[in-house]
Amino acid sequence: MTDSDVTWQVAAPYMDMQTFAVPPVLELRDVTYRRDGSEIIRGVSFTVRAGEHWAMIGPNGAGKSTLLGFCGAVTHPTSGTVRVLGEQLGRVELQALRRAIGHVNPRHPLRSPLAVRDIVLTGLTGTIERAPRWEPTAEEAARADDLIGSLGLGGKAGSRWNVLSQGERGRVLIARALVCEPRLILLDEPSTGLDIAAREQLLESVDLLSETHPGVASVLVTHHLEELPSSTTHALLRAGA
């Protein structure tokens, strides 16, 4: 199958008129993306609303990373319309928009041995390292500590990144994504590198979002059905996957 043959289909539960009353967090309308003469994405449309939890499922090369780039206001489509948090890409200041989106990426490129609390606080500045000459407010520091505790890391707040297990790192990154109180969280293959036990613990943490942050929408990318959180409400599938 060539790139131009790749199409995506939405799998969703029955939606009544009350569903459409919930404000959209993310909207893609007839989006196409071409790179170096190849059509990577063609005619994709879907709407993510507050409190919904979406999964993108497909193999490598299906365009999942490109779609997630639209969701995170990182990539612009060749044609079609993308609205993120009510703002249309191409008509908004991108840096401010990106700071309102939480990201969980297991390939987090941290190089220094920051403590867990400091890593979570970088979610407020949108930086990888602790921002120089910046200090959180008392409210922000308390919010970070609450998130660390709620994700089962209360005893690890002072632990350094380099001594954490992969599973613990995943939960730290979820706390980092939530500390800025986003309306949208993007999870890019969050189970990468985890054994079964750590994967299940991470998925339980993702499932907690529907209870602790009921208004937050999420989009999770994965290759495998067994990596879907049980709280998943919608799926975007590559046709034939």
Side-chain angles (χ1 to χ4, degrees):
M1 178 176 287
T2 65
D3 286 334
S4 61
D5 294 323
V6 172
T7 57
W8 290 82
Q9 297 176 344
V10 175
Y14 170 77
M15 293 179 287
D16 57 19
M17 293 305 295
Q18 186 175 0
T19 301
F20 293 100
V22 178
V25 173
L26 178 65
E27 297 177 272
L28 275 71
R29 290 285 175 266
D30 198 25
V31 167
T32 294
Y33 180 73
R34 298 182 185 89
R35 183 175 59 216
D36 298 329
S38 296
E39 191 171 69
I40 309 301
I41 300 292
R42 181 179 59 206
V44 173
S45 298
F46 64 93
T47 300
V48 179
R49 299 180 185 276
E52 294 180 348
H53 301 288
W54 283 64
M56 293 183 194
I57 308 168
N60 286 331
K64 299 187 304 300
S65 295
T66 301
L67 285 171
L68 201 67
F70 299 147
C71 300
V74 174
T75 306
H76 285 69
T78 305
S79 63
T81 302
V82 178
R83 292 183 181 275
V84 181
L85 304 180
E87 303 288 350
Q88 183 172 327
L89 296 194
R91 300 182 180 179
V92 64
E93 200 280 299
L94 291 178
Q95 290 301 324
L97 185 59
R98 290 168 185 163
R99 285 195 294 270
I101 302 169
H103 294 266
V104 178
N105 184 346
R107 295 164 290 278
H108 189 62
L110 179 64
R111 296 188 180 277
S112 60
L114 288 184
V116 165
R117 183 181 287 109
D118 288 329
I119 296 166
V120 172
L121 288 170
T122 62
L124 292 166
T125 55
T127 57
I128 301 301
E129 303 288 345
R130 186 73 183 264
R133 297 180 298 281
W134 175 87
E135 291 296 331
T137 65
E139 180 184 352
E140 290 169 338
R143 189 191 315 148
D145 287 337
D146 287 345
L147 286 166
I148 291 167
S150 69
L151 288 162
L153 296 164
K156 298 277 187 177
S159 297
R160 302 288 175 178
W161 177 255
N162 56 310
V163 302
L164 299 177
S165 68
Q166 283 297 105
E168 289 168 340
R169 289 182 178 187
R171 284 179 282 148
V172 170
L173 294 176
I174 291 174
R176 178 181 182 272
L178 289 169
V179 74
C180 65
E181 299 185 314
R183 293 166 55 199
L184 174 65
I185 291 183
L186 308 177
L187 302 101
D188 188 2
E189 300 184 36
S191 298
T192 297
L194 301 185
D195 59 28
I196 293 176
R199 182 187 72 196
E200 292 306 310
Q201 191 170 28
L202 181 75
L203 293 179
E204 287 175 4
S205 298
V206 175
D207 283 332
L208 278 175
L209 293 179
S210 60
E211 299 176 17
T212 60
H213 297 75
V216 174
S218 67
V219 178
L220 179 147
V221 167
T222 183
H223 294 167
H224 308 293
L225 290 174
E226 63 270 20
E227 294 179 354
L228 290 182
S230 61
S231 55
T232 301
T233 59
H234 300 67
L236 188 65
L237 309 169
R238 198 200 75 168

